[in-house]
Amino acid sequence: MPYGPTLGRDDVELIQRDTLYQGFFRLEALELRHRLFEGGWSATMRREVHNRFDAVGVLLYDRTVMPWYSSNSFALGQLTTRPPPGN
């Protein structure tokens, strides 16, 4: 059983999807909003999604220069996959 509340596809409203680049990978701009854990909906936001298809992606960073922080984040990547993860 997952820890804490979870959000699924029904908790995201996709307002607009634009393909910015299509080649070895696809870069899309998404305009969306999502349900908030405390109720209601978020403000409309724009996010860019880098779709690598079946390739591997690596995030490289130097923690002395740029520490990695993640707090109350909205993870969009799994919601843009087809078919949905776990199905």
Side-chain angles (χ1 to χ4, degrees):
M1 179 169 224
Y3 172 76
T6 59
L7 295 176
R9 289 184 188 261
D10 293 337
D11 299 307
V12 177
E13 179 186 359
L14 181 60
I15 299 165
Q16 185 171 337
R17 173 182 286 199
D18 297 316
T19 300
L20 303 176
Y21 174 79
Q22 177 70 52
F24 181 72
F25 63 89
R26 182 174 57 233
L27 183 62
E28 294 180 315
L30 305 178
E31 190 174 320
L32 58 101
R33 65 188 192 138
H34 63 86
R35 288 190 200 275
L36 301 172
F37 290 127
E38 61 267 9
W41 288 86
S42 70
T44 300
M45 61 182 78
R46 178 185 163 102
R47 296 291 185 262
E48 287 78 28
V49 177
H50 178 245
N51 189 333
R52 299 174 313 277
F53 305 104
D54 291 332
V56 174
V58 177
L59 174 64
L60 301 174
Y61 74 100
D62 181 344
R63 68 179 178 205
T64 61
V65 175
M66 169 96 51
W68 180 260
Y69 296 103
S70 178
S71 176
N72 297 324
S73 62
F74 174 69
L76 183 62
Q78 289 187 343
L79 294 173
T80 62
T81 59
R82 294 180 190 105
N87 289 343

